[in-house]
Amino acid sequence: MAAGYQYRPNGGGGAALPDPTFLWNVFQRVDKDRSGIISDNELQQALSNGTWTPFNPATVRSILGECSCVM
């Protein structure tokens, strides 16, 4: 699958890009098994829908499908 992410140093005219160190720290906190990949289970555990019930597994897979890229 082709990645849909394109790096734009100036934010592409939109909002400023988040600090890479912050993003890396968040990634490491979600990647519980330290595999370098966030699994559907890890993402589901990290997300909250406001009712403290787990996200629907199909929704989690959809999110991962939209965000999947190799960097």
Side-chain angles (χ1 to χ4, degrees), residues 2-40:
Y5 175 80
Q6 179 182 3
Y7 176 70
R8 296 181 188 146
N10 67 359
L17 294 172
D19 174 38
T21 302
F22 169 78
L23 294 175
W24 179 243
N25 288 333
V26 171
F27 181 90
Q28 288 180 310
R29 291 180 73 182
V30 174
D31 182 24
K32 298 286 189 191
D33 66 2
R34 301 290 186 239
S35 66
I37 298 170
I38 296 176
S39 70
D40 53 348

Side-chain angles (χ1 to χ4, degrees), residues 31-54:
D31 182 24
K32 298 286 189 191
D33 66 2
R34 301 290 186 239
S35 66
I37 298 170
I38 296 176
S39 70
D40 53 348
N41 289 332
E42 289 169 331
L43 182 60
Q44 186 177 29
Q45 290 173 7
L47 295 173
S48 170
N49 61 16
T51 63
W52 298 105
T53 58

Side-chain angles (χ1 to χ4, degrees), residues 1-8 64-71:
M1 172 189 313
Y5 175 80
Q6 179 182 3
Y7 176 70
R8 296 181 188 146
L64 286 173
E66 291 293 323
C67 299
S68 293
C69 65
V70 176
M71 298 179 54

